[in-house]
Amino acid sequence: RDKFLIPLWPWQRFSKAMVYDIKHDGFNTFQDFIKYSEGAAIAPASIFMHLCSIKKENGKYKEPEFDIKEAARPIALFSYLVHIIRDFQEDQKNNLNYMANNLLEEYGLNKYMINEIASGGEIKPEFRDLMLNYYNYAEHYRQKARKALDNIGTYLEPRYRLSLEIIYSLYLQIFEKIDVSNGNFTT
């Protein structure tokens, strides 16, 4: 931690998310999910981005030249939401539910119904609408992620900029293959 100047907040947020996993089964609201993501996705992404951003000067590392959390947040949320859509069936089979209860309710769905869909049941229009909602959230964060990458590019060494671009591009390729209207949401 001291050598690379990694702040404590990512470790604290990550720990809180792990405790949440132990004590909860899902999320009451989408905002609860976003708050959880601060630890489950944004914290690890921030550590990675921090390590990509620090530079050695006079034998010591110096702080990154931009706000790591602000830059990592949209990239991590975009990636996480793509994971949730892509891995819906697998997550449900592993008793992992990332669909917020308030959104399930809004679309006339419940955990039992989405578990049935994951088990090969009929994909109802309400479920497609829910997935479109998650897709739209992912698109929102994708746009912010692209801007964040463009804004921090000048602060990164070319090899680290390339690493972040590859990560973004891989998730973008998955995102562009998502077909909410006709897909079957299977692994």
Side-chain angles (χ1 to χ4, degrees), residues 149-167:
L149 287 168
D150 292 342
N151 290 337
I152 65 171
T154 58
Y155 299 109
L156 301 170
E157 290 181 26
R159 62 185 172 156
Y160 297 126
R161 187 171 52 245
L162 177 62
S163 294
L164 292 171
E165 287 291 345
I166 289 170
I167 291 167

Side-chain angles (χ1 to χ4, degrees), residues 12-181:
Q12 293 165 333
R13 297 261 170 84
F14 182 73
S15 297
K16 283 183 182 180
M18 298 306 100
V19 170
Y20 184 94
D21 278 340
I22 293 167
K23 294 182 176 183
H24 298 86
D25 180 25
F27 307 92
N28 288 328
T29 67
F30 190 76
Q31 277 311 112
D32 290 342
F33 165 74
I34 294 295
K35 186 176 178 182
Y36 166 83
S37 298
E38 292 285 336
I42 298 165
S46 294
I47 293 169
F48 177 74
M49 191 172 283
H50 178 92
L51 293 172
C52 288
S53 303
I54 57 173
K55 294 178 182 167
K56 210 172 199 178
E57 196 173 273
N58 298 323
K60 288 189 170 192
Y61 289 101
K62 62 179 199 166
E63 294 282 341
E65 299 175 275
F66 59 92
D67 185 334
I68 295 293
K69 183 178 176 188
E70 184 180 320
R73 188 173 201 277
I75 299 165
L77 288 172
F78 167 60
S79 303
Y80 205 24
L81 288 163
V82 169
H83 264 287
I84 288 166
I85 297 168
R86 181 195 66 190
D87 297 343
F88 165 74
Q89 185 181 46
E90 185 178 336
D91 287 342
Q92 288 294 309
K93 287 182 179 180
N94 289 315
N95 296 313
L96 298 171
N97 180 34
Y98 296 101
M99 304 295 154
N101 294 337
N102 69 322
L103 294 179
L104 289 175
E105 191 175 302
E106 182 180 325
Y107 292 101
L109 299 166
N110 59 46
K111 289 180 183 181
Y112 173 78
M113 295 165 84
I114 63 169
N115 196 2
E116 285 293 311
I117 292 168
S119 297
E122 177 190 352
I123 300 175
K124 300 180 184 301
E126 297 84 0
F127 179 76
R128 291 192 186 283
D129 291 342
L130 171 70
M131 291 307 250
L132 178 60
N133 193 333
Y134 274 78
Y135 182 90
N136 288 337
Y137 280 124
E139 172 60 16
H140 169 78
Y141 287 110
R142 184 204 63 75
Q143 291 175 19
K144 288 184 171 216
R146 182 69 265 161
K147 285 179 188 172
L149 287 168
D150 292 342
N151 290 337
I152 65 171
T154 58
Y155 299 109
L156 301 170
E157 290 181 26
R159 62 185 172 156
Y160 297 126
R161 187 171 52 245
L162 177 62
S163 294
L164 292 171
E165 287 291 345
I166 289 170
I167 291 167
Y168 172 81
S169 295
L170 290 172
Y171 279 99
L172 180 60
Q173 286 178 24
I174 296 166
F175 181 67
E176 289 174 339
K177 290 180 182 178
I178 295 171
D179 182 358
V180 176
S181 299

